[in-house]
Structures are given as C-alpha cells and as structure tokens.
Amino acid sequence: MLTTSKKKRAVIIGAGPMGFETALRALDRGFEVTILEAGRVGENIRQWQHVRFFSPFGMNISPCVRQALQGNLPSDDAILTGGEFVETVLQPLSRLPELDGKIHPGQRVVSVARSGLGKVGLPNHPLRIERPFRVLTEDIEGRERIFEADLVFDASGVYSQPNWAGTAGMPALGERDLGSRIVRHLRDFDGSEFQRNAGKKILLIGHGHSAAHAAIALNNIITRAPSTQVIWAVRTDRTKPILEVPDDPLSERGKVAQAANEIAQSPPKNMRILRRTTLEALVEAIDSLKVKLKIWRNFEEVTVEEIFALTGYRPNLEMLRELTAEFSGVSEGVAGLYRALTNITDCLAKIEINPNDLQTGETGFFSVGIKSYGRNSGFLLKSGVEQLNAIFSGL
Ligand SMILES: Cc1cc2nc3c(=O)[nH]c(=O)nc-3n(C[C@H](O)[C@H](O)[C@H](O)COP(=O)(O)OP(=O)(O)OC[C@H]3O[C@@H](n4cnc5c(N)ncnc54)[C@H](O)[C@@H]3O)c2cc1C
C-alpha cells in the first residue's frame, strides 16, 4: 500500500498494549497511523489469558489510555487476568473511532528496510534518512503486502520466540527436530487442559515466573489426578528456585513465587525437583519422549509424555536485519537501553533513561515495549510508557 499523504506515516508493529500506547501518541501528533498485527488484537496476552498480571491495573495503563477509554475501567488495585486486560483495555481501544480501519490483524511483519537501501546502503548518511521505510507483511494465507512509512515502531514483543530448552541457550540434542513436541507457553494446564495432562509423566523446565505458575498448576493436577508424575528441572541450586523479593510490593508476584517455592521445598510424592539440572538430549519414543538430563555431574534418562519448557523468550531480530539499528549482543534489546539497565535486578528499580538510550541507530525506527528490553525479563508496562514519553518528546 503506497500512500501519498503529507502527514508523517507511522507504522506500528504489534497490537499489544505498547502498540496501542504508541498509536495514541502518534495520533495525538497528527501522524497517519497503521497497526500491523500478526494475529488478533492482544494476541500474545491472549496466550496467557487465564493467568493474572502481577502488577495492579493502575500500573498497567497510562493517563493517555485512561483518557481514550473515558472511564469504564477496573479499579487501580485490581489484579486482572490477561484475558480481562484484553477485554477491558485492548479491545475497547481497538474500537476507538480514531483507529477505525487503521488496525490490520493477521498481517505478520516479515521484513523492514529503507526503500532501496539495505543495511550497508549509505549508513549514517543524511540521504538515508530521506528514504521511507518499506514494511513487508504476510497474511495467514501467505499473501504479501508492502506498507510504506516515515516512522516505524516495533512493538512486536518477545512472546512469539521462545528460547531453546537446552543448556547455555543452545538447543538440546534432538530439540530442533522434536521442538514441536515441547509446550513453550503458559497454557491453562490445570483448567481447560487438565484432561490432556492428568495421569501423564510430565517434565517442567524453568525457574522464572511462568515456570512458577506451571509448577503450581502441576501440583494441582497431582492433587486431582494422583497418578500424574512430574519432574521439575531447574538450573539453579537454590532450595527456593524462584527468586523472591523480600516484602514484595507486587504482592501477586510474591504470592506466586512463594507458593511455587513451597512446592519445591516440600513436593508431593509424585513430583521430583531436580536442581542444577539441564536438558541434554531428546529422542522420540512411542507416544513419549526419552530425555537425557544432566543433574550436576551425573546423567539420568527419563521417559516423559509432555515437556513444558518455560525458559524465557527472545526478540525476533531477523525481520530487522536490513536496518542499521544496534542491538545489544547480550540482551538482544536496544543497545543503549541494555547499558542503562546493566546491574538493575528488579523491574521496580528506578532507572534513569536518557532519551539517547532509546535511539536505535536507524533514525525513525524505534523498538518499544518488552522487545526493547530483549532477553532482560525486567520489563514492566509502566517502564514502557515512560520510554514512549521520552521517544515522543524527541520527535
Ligand atoms: C504470564 C505473564 C504475566 C505478565 N505479567 C505482567 C505484569 O503483571 N505487568 C507487566 O507490566 N508485564 C507483565 N508481563 C509482561 C507482559 O507480557 C508485557 O508487559 C506486555 O505484554 C508487553 O506488551 P508489548 O505490547 O510490548 O508486547 P506484547 O503484549 O507481547 O504484544 C506484541 C504484539 O505484537 C504481535 N506481533 C509479534 N510479532 C509480530 C510480527 N512479526 N508482525 C506483527 N505483529 C507481531 C503479537 O501478536 C502481539 O499482539 C507478563 C508476561 C507474562 C507472560
């Protein structure tokens, strides 16, 4: 779609919370807005719709969104599920008259480049900035389309790209072939998926917040279906594998971490907790998977029917390959932001972000929302809003 409008054209990748936050600010500036969304509005949050946010509602939306939705919102201290957030915030935002016709669901962005210029075309040259961006998308049927833009905001999140489950971030032997047999996102394990899991031999890998949720769900399954057998493998040697923040101000986060740690410290009969454990190899067997685990210095083979690997997510940088944007070799997030976040260990820590930290090295292209943090898991929507304020103040 090539347009000739003189208004600045802003393409926003992703109709998640940060995509909408960006869109409202861009509309306010009089930009022509297009939101390209791979799935449905709030697709990534819908994947964990049954799980509660750990931050209270008041922390999750900005004055800008409040104003756009004109009341009719949950109370600030409400702890919503992902599904409730989509229903009460994202869907109403998608129905705003000012966004009518501007959201394109089912358009997955495949590649972004400057018109006629790849990565090495006139880098740092003023002429590069004059060239618009071209954004290539693909719909569910594989049909391709080009959108042109003066500004691109990548708010595509990280949830679509899970980390490997093997040691040191590498795929375990066999994982590339058998990857589709591994569940890598939080599902409603003890709710709508109870029947699928009850009575099975299950391996859970991970010790982050999502793994904590899964451990609690698996414990519930064992209570309801005592023939279920679970191995919970964690890399850490901590007795309490999930990090707890003393007197956690985010009480929902504290509650989940504490409940999962209690399970780890005193698991039910059918749950083994393996610390200092990594996944080494997978082999397909009849209706099951043979798994080789390294437990400290020893190896053990087990046969399981389901593997839940909740080992985090990373940004898709492939689609940005032809841009001159710089991403940290460590976090894979915006390079300047990575430096600003070094040594920050909790998402609530006050960070001083210099607007320059948010520059990507490709004028007019911004990585926003959780993707800008890359593999750093300390992102909060509240921080994303502050980032956008800084970016827009410089536009
Ligand atoms: C279980 C769980 C609980 C969480 N709780 C909290 C919490 O309490 N507080 C908090 O602040 N954060 C929480 N988070 C983190 C939370 O997910 C993010 O804060 C929030 O979703 C980030 O918003 P975003 O818009 O940056 O990305 P996302 O919500 O991930 O949205 C990205 C959007 O981009 C789309 N997309 C992806 N790739 C493409 C592409 N190539 N082309 C087009 N569209 C694309 C996706 O479909 C999606 O709709 C939680 C995460 C999980 C998993």
XYZ file of all heavy atoms in Angstrom, residues 16-19 21-22 25 45 48 53-66 76 85 249-250 253 337 341 344 346-353 358 368-373 377-391:
477
model
N -0.402 -5.053 20.731
C -0.402 -5.357 22.161
C -0.536 -4.033 22.905
O -0.745 -2.980 22.280
N -0.383 -4.058 24.233
C -0.542 -2.812 24.992
C 0.371 -1.692 24.517
O -0.047 -0.540 24.414
C -0.201 -3.208 26.432
C 0.168 -4.643 26.416
C -0.134 -5.219 25.084
N 1.635 -2.015 24.187
C 2.547 -0.945 23.806
C 2.288 -0.465 22.383
O 2.546 0.691 22.061
C 4.010 -1.393 23.975
C 4.387 -1.700 25.402
S 3.858 -0.458 26.613
C 4.745 0.949 26.035
N 1.761 -1.333 21.549
C 1.369 -0.899 20.204
C 0.282 0.163 20.301
O 0.327 1.203 19.629
N -0.431 2.023 23.004
C 0.114 3.235 23.649
C 0.811 4.103 22.596
O 0.688 5.327 22.605
C 1.139 2.859 24.738
C 0.554 2.234 25.991
C -0.013 3.269 26.975
O 0.071 4.476 26.707
O -0.550 2.830 28.011
N 1.551 3.445 21.714
C 2.273 4.185 20.663
C 1.275 4.848 19.713
O 1.418 6.017 19.349
C 3.181 3.221 19.858
O 3.958 2.462 20.769
C 4.089 3.974 18.917
N -0.303 8.071 20.993
C 0.614 9.215 20.954
C 0.829 9.691 19.514
O 0.932 10.880 19.241
C 1.958 8.837 21.585
C 1.873 8.804 23.103
C 3.056 8.058 23.683
N 3.018 8.058 25.133
C 2.222 7.293 25.866
N 1.382 6.458 25.277
N 2.237 7.359 27.179
N -0.916 -11.638 24.769
C -1.540 -11.707 26.109
C -2.658 -12.746 26.118
O -2.883 -13.425 27.120
C -2.026 -10.307 26.550
C -0.814 -9.390 26.703
C -2.824 -10.379 27.845
C -1.091 -8.039 27.303
N -1.819 -16.154 27.458
C -1.849 -16.444 28.900
C -3.073 -15.794 29.545
O -3.027 -15.278 30.642
C -0.530 -16.050 29.581
C 0.024 -14.687 29.297
C 0.843 -14.337 28.269
C -0.179 -13.482 30.066
N 1.162 -12.993 28.356
C 0.560 -12.447 29.447
C -0.899 -13.171 31.222
C 0.584 -11.137 29.935
C -0.861 -11.865 31.704
C -0.136 -10.876 31.055
N -2.040 -10.838 35.928
C -0.894 -9.914 35.946
C -0.327 -9.935 37.355
O -1.034 -10.217 38.315
C -1.363 -8.482 35.639
C -1.471 -8.177 34.168
C -2.521 -8.666 33.415
C -0.530 -7.377 33.538
C -2.624 -8.382 32.059
C -0.619 -7.086 32.185
C -1.665 -7.591 31.443
N 0.959 -9.595 37.482
C 1.479 -9.425 38.838
C 1.457 -7.956 39.246
O 1.551 -7.630 40.410
C 2.877 -10.046 38.991
C 3.861 -9.650 37.937
C 4.461 -8.413 37.969
C 4.173 -10.524 36.911
C 5.376 -8.039 36.993
C 5.081 -10.158 35.925
C 5.678 -8.919 35.958
N 1.341 -7.068 38.287
C 1.240 -5.642 38.668
C -0.234 -5.239 38.671
O -1.010 -5.697 37.823
C 2.048 -4.769 37.714
O 1.736 -5.051 36.374
N -0.624 -4.383 39.632
C -2.027 -3.980 39.701
C -2.419 -3.126 38.483
O -1.560 -2.492 37.863
C -2.101 -3.163 40.997
C -0.705 -2.803 41.341
C 0.203 -3.797 40.689
N -3.688 -3.115 38.177
C -4.180 -2.480 36.955
C -3.672 -1.040 36.801
O -3.267 -0.626 35.720
C -5.713 -2.510 36.945
C -6.293 -1.935 35.697
C -6.173 -2.600 34.494
C -6.934 -0.694 35.707
C -6.679 -2.064 33.321
C -7.447 -0.153 34.541
C -7.324 -0.840 33.343
N -3.693 -0.288 37.917
C -3.282 1.121 37.860
C -1.870 1.299 37.331
O -1.530 2.357 36.783
N -1.025 0.276 37.491
C 0.361 0.379 36.998
C 0.447 0.044 35.512
O 1.479 0.262 34.885
C 1.261 -0.617 37.747
C 1.892 -0.068 38.999
S 2.849 -1.370 39.795
C 4.319 -1.362 38.786
N -0.623 -0.549 34.997
C -0.519 -1.115 33.646
C -1.069 -0.228 32.541
O -0.968 -0.596 31.371
C -1.218 -2.482 33.589
C -0.628 -3.451 34.586
O 0.513 -3.271 35.005
N -1.380 -4.452 34.983
N -1.703 0.866 32.914
C -2.165 1.752 31.832
C -1.763 3.188 32.121
O -1.578 3.589 33.268
C -3.686 1.676 31.568
C -4.481 2.140 32.768
C -4.126 0.306 31.116
C -5.906 2.447 32.362
N -1.675 3.950 31.069
C -1.179 5.328 31.165
C -2.363 6.291 31.212
O -3.481 5.932 30.848
C -0.350 5.626 29.925
O -1.219 5.592 28.803
N -2.109 7.548 31.601
C -3.162 8.560 31.550
C -3.745 8.677 30.137
O -4.949 8.910 29.960
C -2.429 9.855 31.927
C -1.225 9.413 32.692
C -0.849 8.075 32.160
N -2.895 8.475 29.154
C -3.310 8.570 27.752
C -4.398 7.530 27.416
O -5.409 7.836 26.787
C -2.018 8.315 27.006
S -1.924 8.371 25.325
N -4.206 6.305 27.891
C -5.200 5.246 27.634
C -6.462 5.520 28.449
O -7.589 5.371 27.962
C -4.618 3.850 27.964
C -5.688 2.779 27.972
C -3.530 3.490 26.975
N -6.274 5.942 29.686
C -7.444 6.276 30.527
C -8.314 7.308 29.830
O -9.532 7.177 29.773
C -6.976 6.919 31.843
C -6.668 5.937 32.915
C -6.310 6.697 34.181
N -5.477 5.886 35.023
C -5.926 4.895 35.789
N -7.205 4.640 35.857
N -5.102 4.171 36.503
N -7.907 0.613 40.202
C -6.449 0.614 40.077
C -5.786 -0.552 40.789
O -4.701 -0.979 40.412
C -5.872 1.932 40.628
C -5.973 3.025 39.587
O -6.508 2.749 38.498
O -5.515 4.149 39.874
N -7.678 -8.181 30.767
C -6.993 -6.979 30.263
C -7.323 -6.762 28.783
O -7.592 -5.638 28.352
C -5.480 -7.112 30.481
C -4.713 -5.865 30.161
C -4.602 -4.842 31.087
C -4.098 -5.710 28.927
C -3.893 -3.672 30.790
C -3.393 -4.548 28.619
C -3.287 -3.536 29.557
N 6.576 -5.595 46.887
C 5.473 -4.642 46.703
C 4.473 -5.131 45.647
O 3.319 -4.699 45.649
C 6.151 -3.360 46.221
C 7.611 -3.608 46.220
C 7.863 -5.066 46.441
N 4.927 -6.016 44.757
C 3.993 -6.605 43.786
C 3.484 -7.901 44.421
O 4.059 -8.972 44.257
C 4.698 -6.882 42.460
C 5.241 -5.652 41.730
C 6.059 -6.040 40.507
C 4.096 -4.729 41.313
N 2.972 -11.178 42.497
C 4.239 -11.833 42.127
C 4.802 -12.599 43.322
O 5.221 -13.745 43.202
C 5.238 -10.771 41.646
C 6.590 -11.325 41.280
C 7.514 -10.254 40.737
N 7.940 -9.290 41.752
C 8.876 -8.361 41.556
N 9.454 -8.253 40.382
N 9.216 -7.523 42.526
N 19.734 0.950 25.748
C 18.889 0.566 26.880
C 19.555 -0.554 27.684
O 19.492 -0.585 28.917
C 17.536 0.097 26.333
C 16.348 0.063 27.257
C 16.190 1.366 28.011
C 15.084 -0.218 26.446
N 20.345 -0.489 31.652
C 19.714 -1.468 32.552
C 20.731 -2.377 33.248
O 20.347 -3.181 34.109
C 18.738 -2.353 31.769
C 17.490 -1.664 31.215
C 16.751 -2.587 30.268
C 16.572 -1.213 32.336
N 20.634 -3.627 36.974
C 19.290 -3.478 37.537
C 18.738 -4.890 37.711
O 18.645 -5.646 36.747
C 18.363 -2.668 36.586
C 18.936 -1.283 36.324
C 16.941 -2.620 37.114
C 18.842 -0.306 37.441
N 15.767 -5.693 39.594
C 14.323 -5.848 39.768
C 13.586 -4.824 38.915
O 14.038 -3.683 38.766
C 13.926 -5.668 41.236
C 12.451 -5.998 41.437
O 12.063 -7.141 41.139
O 11.673 -5.105 41.825
N 12.437 -5.244 38.372
C 11.705 -4.370 37.460
C 11.201 -3.094 38.137
O 10.905 -2.114 37.464
C 10.551 -5.137 36.823
S 9.410 -5.858 38.003
N 11.130 -3.098 39.473
C 10.620 -1.901 40.151
C 11.718 -0.869 40.421
O 11.426 0.243 40.854
C 9.955 -2.281 41.481
C 8.593 -2.964 41.361
C 8.092 -3.356 42.731
C 7.578 -2.069 40.669
N 12.971 -1.265 40.181
C 14.075 -0.329 40.454
C 13.927 0.914 39.582
O 13.512 0.835 38.429
C 15.407 -1.011 40.155
N 14.236 2.053 40.163
C 14.128 3.313 39.413
C 15.322 3.392 38.460
O 16.467 3.282 38.864
C 14.150 4.470 40.424
C 14.018 5.835 39.816
C 12.561 6.245 39.612
C 12.464 7.506 38.748
N 11.598 7.390 37.601
N 15.027 3.545 37.165
C 16.151 3.664 36.236
C 16.111 5.035 35.555
O 15.037 5.560 35.281
C 16.148 2.558 35.157
C 14.734 2.337 34.614
C 16.729 1.274 35.651
C 14.693 1.478 33.386
N 17.281 5.556 35.352
C 17.382 6.841 34.659
C 17.599 6.535 33.186
O 18.642 6.033 32.806
C 18.576 7.646 35.194
C 18.478 8.043 36.662
C 17.294 8.960 36.943
O 16.892 9.712 36.028
O 16.760 8.908 38.074
N 16.587 6.802 32.371
C 16.755 6.555 30.941
C 16.971 7.895 30.245
O 16.137 8.795 30.325
C 15.502 5.862 30.340
C 15.244 4.524 31.019
C 15.645 5.691 28.830
C 16.135 3.408 30.609
N 17.377 5.386 23.883
C 16.285 4.749 23.145
C 16.453 4.881 21.634
O 15.674 4.346 20.865
C 14.940 5.358 23.581
C 14.692 5.224 25.084
C 13.544 6.103 25.531
C 14.416 3.779 25.448
N 10.066 -0.621 20.843
C 9.368 -0.188 22.060
C 8.755 -1.395 22.779
O 8.637 -2.479 22.214
C 8.278 0.874 21.750
C 8.888 2.103 21.106
C 7.174 0.311 20.866
N 8.353 -1.154 24.024
C 7.712 -2.230 24.784
C 8.706 -3.286 25.206
O 9.926 -3.063 25.257
N 8.200 -4.456 25.461
C 9.040 -5.514 26.043
C 10.166 -5.920 25.079
O 11.236 -6.342 25.505
C 8.158 -6.717 26.469
C 8.915 -7.633 27.419
C 7.613 -7.470 25.289
C 8.019 -8.618 28.164
N 9.961 -5.743 23.791
C 11.009 -6.110 22.827
C 12.259 -5.261 23.008
O 13.379 -5.734 22.801
C 10.486 -5.985 21.394
C 11.456 -6.508 20.353
C 10.832 -6.659 18.994
C 11.792 -7.286 18.005
N 11.169 -7.540 16.704
N 12.078 -4.011 23.429
C 13.232 -3.129 23.584
C 14.166 -3.638 24.689
O 15.342 -3.327 24.707
C 12.776 -1.706 23.912
O 12.150 -1.687 25.180
N 13.629 -4.427 25.623
C 14.445 -4.997 26.704
C 15.139 -6.284 26.262
O 16.004 -6.800 26.971
C 13.564 -5.315 27.916
C 13.392 -4.171 28.902
C 13.052 -2.897 28.473
C 13.541 -4.374 30.270
C 12.873 -1.860 29.375
C 13.365 -3.345 31.185
C 13.035 -2.090 30.726
O 12.860 -1.079 31.617
N 14.371 -9.780 31.554
C 12.979 -10.060 31.922
C 12.399 -8.994 32.846
O 11.321 -9.164 33.394
C 12.890 -11.436 32.585
O 13.719 -11.425 33.734
N 13.107 -7.870 33.000
C 12.660 -6.862 33.973
C 11.692 -5.829 33.423
O 11.481 -4.795 34.047
N 11.074 -6.096 32.276
C 10.190 -5.083 31.697
C 8.864 -4.994 32.440
O 8.288 -5.991 32.845
C 9.903 -5.424 30.227
C 8.962 -4.453 29.562
C 9.423 -3.230 29.105
C 7.614 -4.750 29.423
C 8.549 -2.324 28.509
C 6.741 -3.857 28.829
C 7.214 -2.641 28.364
N 8.388 -3.769 32.615
C 7.034 -3.523 33.126
C 6.349 -2.559 32.167
O 7.006 -1.658 31.634
C 7.096 -2.830 34.489
C 7.234 -3.658 35.753
C 7.167 -2.738 36.965
C 6.150 -4.719 35.861
N 5.062 -2.708 32.001
C 4.328 -1.786 31.118
C 4.572 -0.336 31.526
O 4.681 0.557 30.686
C 2.834 -2.116 31.164
C 2.479 -3.418 30.428
C 1.077 -3.877 30.782
C 2.617 -3.233 28.918
N 4.671 -0.143 32.846
C 4.912 1.198 33.370
C 6.221 1.784 32.771
O 6.269 2.951 32.387
C 5.055 1.048 34.890
C 5.132 2.263 35.703
C 5.080 1.818 37.171
C 5.435 2.907 38.121
N 6.823 3.313 38.061
N 7.248 0.942 32.667
C 8.519 1.426 32.102
C 8.351 1.699 30.608
O 8.955 2.627 30.062
C 9.642 0.396 32.252
O 9.506 -0.320 33.431
N 7.532 0.879 29.961
C 7.297 1.064 28.528
C 6.635 2.403 28.245
O 6.933 3.061 27.240
N 5.737 2.809 29.149
C 5.049 4.093 28.979
C 6.062 5.233 29.131
O 6.068 6.192 28.356
C 3.891 4.209 30.011
C 3.381 5.633 30.108
C 2.770 3.245 29.637
N 6.953 5.105 30.117
C 7.977 6.153 30.315
C 8.890 6.260 29.086
O 9.241 7.348 28.651
C 8.812 5.852 31.572
C 8.029 6.142 32.845
C 8.619 5.464 34.086
O 9.763 4.980 34.027
O 7.903 5.427 35.106
N 9.225 5.099 28.529
C 10.047 5.095 27.301
C 9.365 5.864 26.185
O 9.972 6.673 25.509
C 10.128 3.665 26.758
C 11.201 2.817 27.238
C 11.059 1.434 26.554
O 10.330 1.254 25.588
N 11.771 0.482 27.078
N 8.070 5.572 26.007
C 7.351 6.227 24.903
C 7.277 7.729 25.113
O 7.393 8.505 24.169
C 5.931 5.663 24.785
C 5.818 4.338 24.056
C 4.378 3.876 24.023
C 6.348 4.472 22.627
N 7.088 8.138 26.378
C 7.058 9.580 26.654
C 8.370 10.202 26.211
O 8.394 11.265 25.597
C 6.823 9.843 28.146
C 5.410 9.433 28.568
O 4.532 9.278 27.708
N 5.195 9.253 29.856
N 9.498 9.511 26.518
C 10.815 10.049 26.149
C 10.978 10.069 24.625
O 11.462 11.053 24.056
C 11.915 9.218 26.798
N 10.544 9.005 23.961
C 10.703 8.949 22.497
C 9.891 10.063 21.835
O 10.383 10.801 20.977
C 10.272 7.558 21.955
C 11.286 6.489 22.372
C 10.099 7.587 20.442
C 10.873 5.054 22.052
